Amino acid sequence: MCSSSPESYVIRSIRADEWPAVKELRLAALQDPVAHLAFLETYEDALTRSDAFWQERAAGACEGADGAQQIIAVRPDGVWVGTATVLVEEPGTTDWAGFAVKRKQGHVVGVFVRPEERGSGLTDVLFDAALEWAWSRGAERVRLIVHEENGRAQRFYRRVGFVPSGVTVPLGEQGARELEFVVERP
């Protein structure tokens, strides 16, 4: 458990030149024991990505970007300890799973808080910032996709107001599914 309260962290969007820290935090996330349930990428695959990939990823979700925003929690000692990314999905497009997007919405992805910081309320603060950003971009709702066996994440998402929409996304692994959770604009 961490020794800091959520108020002692800086919550902000990344900057494009911070791509090495973006890479380091993503690699840490992909080593989490539930990474296979939480992310559609493996640690091994991420290790093979070029610096140009990480630079582009950071530039596409940095402060000032319109289509996505990666929000981070920075500990008082400067260490990045948590992240959530929000993508904007426009009506008339198709999402990553091939479903038609019917209205403007945010899509939260890449949620991770280092294990030693969990239980501090930090994830709540990251989600507040992510939702605020999505609403400021005109999103009518925000959604996320969670593996049906990731109970820890599902409990958190319900606690912060997300509810299952009934949409499921089949995964290739022995009939496993991911579930869509949504929260409507207040």
Side-chain angles (χ1 to χ4, degrees), residues 55-170:
Q55 291 164 358
E56 185 176 313
R57 184 177 187 139
C62 69
E63 185 175 60
D66 288 326
Q69 199 77 178
Q70 183 175 356
I71 299 162
I72 55 167
V74 184
R75 211 167 47 200
D77 64 3
V79 174
W80 289 17
V81 295
T83 186
T85 299
V86 186
L87 312 173
V88 174
E89 296 175 328
E90 297 288 347
T93 63
T94 303
D95 72 8
W96 66 274
F99 293 109
V101 176
K102 296 181 178 150
R103 54 192 180 147
K104 189 169 187 171
Q105 61 191 14
H107 185 163
V108 177
V109 299
V111 177
F112 175 70
V113 172
R114 292 185 192 269
E116 65 273 15
E117 305 292 331
R118 294 178 186 157
S120 67
L122 191 55
T123 311
D124 296 73
V125 176
L126 283 167
F127 262 73
D128 288 347
L131 290 172
E132 183 180 314
W133 186 84
W135 303 144
S136 77
R137 295 303 181 275
E140 297 176 34
R141 72 178 196 155
V142 174
R143 72 181 187 141
L144 52 85
I145 308 293
V146 60
H147 195 284
E148 65 184 343
E149 293 177 14
N150 194 343
R152 179 182 79 193
Q154 288 183 44
R155 285 187 297 279
F156 171 78
Y157 300 144
R158 287 176 192 272
R159 188 174 60 72
V160 297
F162 284 77
V163 295
S165 70
V167 171
T168 61
V169 179

Side-chain angles (χ1 to χ4, degrees), residues 19 26 41 46 48-59:
W19 66 268
R26 179 65 172 187
E41 176 181 41
T48 68
R49 304 232 187 243
S50 69
D51 287 352
F53 169 86
W54 295 105
Q55 291 164 358
E56 185 176 313
R57 184 177 187 139

